Amino acid sequence: MSNDAAQTQSAAVEAETPADAAAADALVLAAFGPGRFAKTAERLRERAGIAAGFVIREGDRVVGSVRLWRIVAGEASALFLGPIAVDAASRRTGLGADLVAACVDHARGAGVAGVLLVGDPPYFTRFGFQAAPDVHLPGPVDPRRVLWLPITAETASGMTRAAP
């Protein structure tokens, strides 16, 4: 198999287990540094419960991680995606896309109106995410980076908060 083929091959995404939590947290810290704790998205995650987590392993090592958090966007039940973290040596191989796809698949069966995230529009629009100008987060955030993936016809607008 050529190196290019290996880089685009889908990875096996697995549900995160309690035994993976420390490795996933370390991966996120290595990818984003301590500055992530000052971000509005992190404030929302601190109050929300984890709905699901996914990891990618290379042998016994976790090389990719993402979590979905239970939130309400206005009145719409939703999931908040992030952060997505991939080990530095495994970046640009499609693992991030595999993790996003797992989240979208999970959301489609979770009975939520959609998935919200703060991220790069050119990256996430290929998964169906679109600008969410009427959704607000509880703190400063670039509104151009607030993205919504509709799962049902219910729209999201208003303030975002942790689900009760």
Side-chain angles (χ1 to χ4, degrees):
M1 176 185 310
S2 76
N3 195 26
D4 288 341
Q7 288 185 345
T8 59
Q9 182 179 5
S10 289
V13 178
E14 303 172 18
E16 180 182 326
T17 68
D20 296 324
D25 290 342
L27 192 60
V28 170
L29 187 59
F32 294 99
R36 80 176 176 93
F37 293 108
K39 294 184 177 184
T40 296
E42 192 64 28
R43 299 286 75 77
L44 184 57
R45 285 191 280 272
E46 285 174 349
R47 293 178 177 89
I50 296 175
F54 299 97
V55 296
I56 297 174
R57 299 181 206 302
E58 196 171 87
D60 290 338
R61 197 168 62 92
V62 172
V63 296
S65 171
V66 67
R67 291 178 177 148
L68 290 165
W69 307 82
R70 291 180 198 91
I71 63 164
V72 178
E75 297 304 316
S77 174
L79 296 171
F80 189 57
L81 190 157
I84 301 168
V86 175
D87 182 75
S90 299
R91 290 185 191 143
R92 301 202 181 280
T93 62
L95 297 185
D98 292 338
L99 291 165
V100 173
C103 289
V104 170
D105 287 346
H106 177 84
R108 291 193 196 288
V112 296
V115 180
L116 185 72
L117 62 80
V118 178
D120 187 31
Y123 182 83
F124 289 102
T125 54
R126 64 183 163 149
F127 300 101
F129 285 87
Q130 55 200 26
D134 297 327
V135 176
H136 307 285
L137 275 75
V141 65
D142 181 346
R144 297 169 297 186
R145 295 175 54 81
V146 178
L147 305 175
W148 174 256
L149 173 69
I151 302 293
T152 69
E154 186 177 2
T155 60
S157 66
M159 184 56 71
T160 301
R161 63 194 183 282

